[in-house]
Amino acid sequence: MMTSHVHEIPHPDGPAGGTAFGVMLRSLRRAARLTLEELSETSGVSVRALGDLERGRSRGPQRRTVDALAGALRLAAEQRERLQRLADTGRERGGAPPAPYLLRTVADFTGREQELADLQTLATGTRTRAAVLFGPGGQGKTTLAAEAVRRLAGAFPDGTVCVQLHGMSDTPLPAAEALVLLLTALGHPPDRIPVDPVAREAVYRATLAGRRALVVLDDAVDEAHTRPLLPDAEGSFVLVTSRRPLAGLEGVRRIRLGGLSGGESARLLERILGAPRTDGQSEAITRLTELCGHLPLALRIVGNRLSSRPGWTPARLVGHLADEGRRLSGLVAGDLAVRSALALSYGQLTEPHRLLLRRLALVPGHDTGPDLAAVLTGNDPLTTEDSLDLLVDRGLLEETASGRYALHDLVRLFAREQLAAEETESAAREVRLRMADWLLRSASAAGRRFEAPGAPEPWPGETAAFSPESAEEAEEWLTAERANWAGALPVLFAADRHEEILRVSRTLYWFSDRWCLWPEWRTLFSHGARSAAALGDRAAEAHQLNCLAWAHSVGACRYAEAEQLARRALELASETSDVDQQAWAWSYISGACMGQGRPAEAAEAAARATRLFETTGDSTGKAVSQRVLGTALRESGRAEEALALHRALLGTRPGDVPGLGEFVAALLRCETAKDLLALERWSEAAEAFRAVGTPSAHAGIDRLRAHTSLGLATALEHRGDPTEARELYRRAHALFTEFGDTTSAKEAASGLERLGPID
């Protein structure tokens, strides 16, 4: 029975009549279809000497003999090295066995507890006899396998054997050669290892079936490389590491390795460096983990670099790695390098797949779908989706959701380097512009599903734009690709495509109200305003500035900037005699004044907006400005007037835009409840807040819930119901904090302080 330790190749002095070197030489000769005489003639080694080597009578030939044989057999560098290693160990007659290939454990191993628990369950169960640990390079698959071996050793009384398959090298270890190493390590007499690969595989499986051993196959390249090395249904357990999921293998379980969590990443760095180097450095440590993308290899490199430079602080290394252009060059420590790990995977791709990976670095957002990726290469989306899936299998891409693909931050930097090295700047610029044009034409096409009749058609382009068949499909696309179409705006602006930018901005105008908290609206309308200015179109600039003021006020609570933008819009609209935009400018000024605690000015601005909206016949605008007017009156101490105005508005339909009426009505009910609150009519206010309702088809619903929760909490507190009030204050505080509305968040916090802790 084997002792419980890990081998790659045992001592070559096996039973008389054979050695590992002899079996390997015979296997290589027959694979090359050479007789002993032919190999002798080609190599210059006598037939008798060759026979002695194959039969094990000569255990360890000199290097010049191995070189001659390797040249005659036309072995690749790694095969030559393996044969030489067997020869070297064969010359160690009478000494201790050579150092086995150990899956080296590390004392500071951190995290992966769920994966280890899964392996424990699989390895000690009876149903599964093999597992594949897969994931991108640098995720620590081999390190995890080593830790698993350490923890599982007691469950395998017949020991553990391991072989490196060199899957990421130019010459992976053939399965037939791996079988020789495994059988020898398992104690099978070398002279009884069959030459025929099929027979050799059968002997290997029979050997495993009769034992309880753990076999580790490190760095497998593909299914064909691995399948002959898997066990039958009984006996031993095989653990495979690979950058690919090896989806074609039958009867195996797969465990994918991703990055460490933020906490695990920080703990790993702290364990590598020790407390004296990390105490008081939590902010810098956290930033380092982010710059490493939580990739174990990168974290290990960062830890080693700091360990080798006692005078460096984590904050100093943060400064070195913050520059994206230098980051990969900084993630090097001795022979460890993130760039090298990524280059191995990149080098095994075909050129079309390399092209796709390189150009994915041009995508402005975090992820992409197949349609956008296809625009980058000019292929059709179905072919591109297959290519994206292949990149996922190779560990160079992540599928973040169904049909959405993302580059790890460090892979993106690597792809960007390859793009600069392998494609001309003009070619990359052309692809980037083509991508931006397609994104904004598609956004325009999707936005038309929500625009009033007469919205402009998307402009023609080289690649057909995405064309949604329904509003639901359009909203789904605009949501999924929002970082990408927003990121395309600077590209089109730099190309002086101002007319197109204005067209997109006008087309997405109504859709923006559905998701008013998106920061992308500030990007869109700022580019719209700048494009209008570049074209000298002051009327369009006024409209875009008003939209931008809305985005700053409603979407970000940045009221001072909103007021400044709206006042500039008012100037331009006055110059062009655009009464409609003057009205909206006053409306946004009123909201900004309210946000800055100036209710009297807000009331005056809202009254002006109301009069102008009456002139233009815009009932929606009038309802919006009157609601703000009522709010300003209440905050100015005129709550009775505010209540009358808001109740009057509730009797009218605030516009005929689909989806807007219901939400504005809910806002007015909320304002009416606030008026009652200001009048200290606590019970009426509580019932009014409960009756506000929560229409679901509007992006402002969470903000409405926040105000309703705060108002109801206040009414209940004064009515003598602290338990529910406390919970509502907590909810309001969390929502206002999320929105960045610090004034309202402080009001909710004050309510919690007044109520004190629960008895």
Side-chain angles (χ1 to χ4, degrees):
M1 180 175 292
M2 294 179 62
T3 56
S4 181
H5 56 280
V6 184
H7 298 270
E8 178 187 28
I9 307 165
H11 189 267
D13 292 349
T19 63
F21 179 89
V23 173
M24 185 68 73
L25 177 61
R26 185 170 63 219
S27 178
L28 291 170
R29 175 176 63 79
R30 293 192 177 184
R33 300 182 181 277
L34 295 174
T35 65
L36 281 173
E37 290 77 11
E38 288 170 335
L39 179 56
S40 172
E41 182 178 350
T42 308
S43 66
V45 180
S46 71
V47 172
R48 180 176 179 178
L50 289 173
D52 287 345
L53 287 171
E54 289 193 2
R55 288 189 293 272
R57 293 175 182 170
S58 177
R59 299 175 181 275
Q62 297 300 314
R63 178 171 292 276
R64 61 178 178 273
T65 302
V66 177
D67 287 342
L69 293 171
L73 291 167
R74 298 183 179 180
L75 300 184
E78 292 199 14
Q79 286 180 308
R80 181 190 298 257
E81 182 182 340
R82 288 194 290 270
L83 195 64
Q84 183 62 62
R85 191 163 61 245
L86 290 175
D88 292 342
T89 56
R91 288 196 297 275
E92 297 174 4
R93 278 179 287 210
Y101 164 55
L102 294 177
L103 283 170
R104 185 175 61 85
T105 58
V106 291
D108 49 29
F109 183 87
T110 303
R112 306 298 193 196
E113 292 303 322
Q114 184 59 57
E115 291 87 348
L116 286 165
D118 291 343
L119 285 173
Q120 173 80 29
T121 300
L122 293 172
T124 57
T126 58
R127 297 180 60 86
T128 303
R129 304 315 315 148
V132 177
L133 282 177
F134 75 97
Q139 295 290 6
K141 297 179 290 295
T142 300
T143 302
L144 175 57
E147 182 66 15
V149 167
R150 187 184 70 80
R151 298 191 188 189
L152 293 170
F156 295 95
D158 291 324
T160 302
V161 296
C162 173
V163 64
Q164 284 182 311
L165 298 179
H166 302 286
M168 295 310 296
S169 71
D170 293 333
T171 56
L173 179 70
E177 294 184 29
L179 284 168
V180 172
L181 300 179
L182 288 167
L183 281 168
T184 307
L186 288 164
H188 195 84
D191 61 329
R192 295 176 60 186
I193 296 176
V195 173
D196 177 66
V198 176
R200 188 180 298 172
E201 184 180 335
V203 171
Y204 168 71
R205 287 211 171 95
T207 302
L208 287 183
R211 306 185 187 192
R212 182 67 177 158
L214 174 60
V215 178
V216 181
L217 307 175
D218 190 28
D219 192 19
V221 63
D222 56 29
E223 291 85 347
H225 191 216
T226 311
R227 190 176 284 110
L229 310 179
L230 297 182
D232 285 324
E234 301 295 335
S236 301
F237 184 81
V238 172
L239 176 59
V240 185
T241 71
S242 178
R243 294 198 182 188
R244 307 179 189 180
L246 307 182
L249 294 181
E250 310 85 357
V252 305
R253 290 288 295 275
R254 294 169 182 82
I255 299 176
R256 186 185 188 281
L257 290 193
L260 298 175
S261 68
E264 289 171 337
S265 299
R267 283 196 297 276
L268 177 57
L269 284 182
E270 289 162 1
R271 295 187 69 183
I272 294 172
L273 294 171
R277 297 287 300 278
T278 58
D279 286 348
Q281 294 282 325
S282 59
E283 184 176 343
I285 291 292
T286 298
R287 181 58 181 146
L288 281 176
T289 66
E290 294 168 351
L291 292 171
C292 290
H294 305 292
L295 185 73
L297 174 61
L299 293 165
R300 174 72 57 187
I301 289 170
V302 162
N304 289 0
R305 285 195 68 185
L306 287 171
S307 295
S308 65
R309 293 168 173 80
W312 281 32
T313 63
R316 178 175 177 180
L317 189 53
V318 166
H320 280 263
L321 298 180
D323 182 355
E324 287 189 349
R326 299 169 52 197
R327 191 173 306 161
L328 287 179
S329 296
L331 289 173
V332 177
D335 61 351
L336 296 179
V338 170
R339 184 185 283 114
S340 299
L342 297 175
L344 285 174
S345 293
Y346 183 74
Q348 292 193 339
L349 299 175
T350 63
E351 177 50 35
H353 294 127
R354 292 183 190 180
L355 177 71
L356 175 59
L357 183 72
R358 292 195 301 268
R359 291 186 175 180
L360 284 173
L362 296 172
V363 174
H366 174 66
D367 60 9
T368 181
D371 289 346
L372 172 56
V375 174
L376 297 171
T377 61
N379 287 327
D380 65 274
L382 288 178
T383 300
T384 302
E385 188 165 16
D386 289 341
S387 297
L388 291 168
D389 286 337
L390 181 140
L391 292 176
V392 170
D393 283 348
R394 300 296 175 88
L396 290 167
L397 203 59
E398 300 173 1
E399 189 171 12
T400 54
S402 179
R404 302 298 300 178
Y405 302 87
L407 292 169
H408 184 280
D409 289 346
L410 297 180
V411 178
R412 180 183 292 274
L413 295 179
F414 176 80
R416 191 178 296 166
E417 286 185 352
Q418 300 308 123
L419 182 71
E422 299 182 41
E423 301 194 44
T424 65
E425 186 176 343
S426 60
R429 187 166 52 248
E430 180 182 340
V431 173
R432 184 181 286 107
L433 184 57
R434 183 174 72 222
M435 172 191 67
D437 178 84
W438 181 86
L439 279 165
L440 293 176
R441 279 189 293 114
S442 298
S444 182
R448 293 187 76 250
R449 289 285 178 177
F450 308 93
E451 183 59 276
E457 292 275 356
W459 60 97
E462 178 182 341
T463 306
F466 167 75
S467 182
E469 297 183 0
S470 66
E472 292 75 18
E473 188 179 359
E475 185 164 18
E476 181 180 351
W477 187 92
L478 286 167
T479 302
E481 301 289 358
R482 64 188 175 115
N484 290 324
W485 57 254
L489 289 162
V491 180
L492 235 59
F493 186 87
D496 295 328
R497 302 278 294 277
H498 303 303
E499 291 282 1
E500 289 89 341
I501 289 175
L502 275 178
R503 189 179 299 192
V504 175
S505 183
R506 287 165 176 159
T507 307
L508 291 177
Y509 171 74
W510 285 111
F511 178 74
S512 65
D513 191 58
R514 297 171 68 90
W515 297 97
C516 57
L517 300 182
W518 284 4
E520 285 79 10
W521 302 129
R522 296 194 291 278
T523 303
L524 174 64
F525 296 131
S526 64
H527 279 86
R530 292 167 61 200
S531 286
L535 293 169
D537 189 338
R538 290 183 297 167
E541 187 179 359
H543 177 232
Q544 293 299 302
L545 286 170
N546 269 331
C547 292
L548 187 56
W550 166 84
H552 276 75
S553 180
V554 175
C557 300
R558 291 158 59 172
Y559 300 113
E561 291 137 293
E563 181 181 3
Q564 184 180 9
L565 290 163
R567 290 194 182 279
R568 175 57 181 156
L570 179 62
E571 291 176 9
L572 292 170
S574 299
E575 291 174 10
T576 57
S577 301
D578 189 334
V579 178
D580 184 59
Q581 290 306 313
Q582 290 176 48
W584 281 110
W586 280 116
S587 180
Y588 294 135
I589 289 169
S590 68
C593 288
M594 280 299 302
Q596 295 174 87
R598 291 150 47 197
E601 293 178 60
E604 181 183 352
R608 290 194 179 201
T610 299
R611 290 193 294 271
L612 290 172
F613 280 128
E614 287 174 345
T615 301
T616 62
D618 188 340
S619 58
T620 297
K622 179 180 176 181
V624 170
S625 60
Q626 284 188 303
R627 179 177 64 82
V628 178
L629 174 58
T631 302
L633 290 172
R634 180 182 68 240
E635 298 302 318
S636 300
R638 300 158 64 183
E640 288 285 3
E641 293 178 58
L643 179 61
L645 178 56
H646 286 143
R647 281 180 167 171
L649 285 171
L650 276 171
T652 64
R653 179 174 179 80
D656 57 359
V657 179
L660 186 60
E662 180 188 2
F663 183 70
V664 170
L667 289 176
L668 287 170
R669 287 192 291 270
C670 184
E671 293 296 343
T672 300
K674 289 182 178 181
D675 298 336
L676 292 167
L677 201 65
L679 293 168
E680 299 185 358
R681 292 155 62 173
W682 311 121
S683 294
E684 288 181 73
E687 295 308 312
F689 277 118
R690 294 191 192 279
V692 166
T694 53
S696 58
H698 199 283
I701 187 61
D702 284 338
R703 194 180 292 272
L704 175 61
R705 284 195 181 101
H707 283 283
T708 303
S709 297
L710 179 58
L712 181 55
T714 305
L716 292 174
E717 178 191 352
H718 286 86
R719 203 173 71 172
D721 189 354
T723 302
E724 186 179 1
R726 187 181 289 105
E727 180 57 36
L728 288 165
Y729 275 134
R730 286 198 187 97
R731 184 187 308 170
H733 182 267
L735 287 169
F736 284 126
T737 300
E738 179 183 345
F739 302 143
D741 188 340
T742 55
T743 301
S744 298
K746 287 178 182 177
E747 188 177 344
S750 297
L752 283 170
E753 289 178 11
R754 287 194 304 271
L755 292 176
I758 299 174
D759 294 334

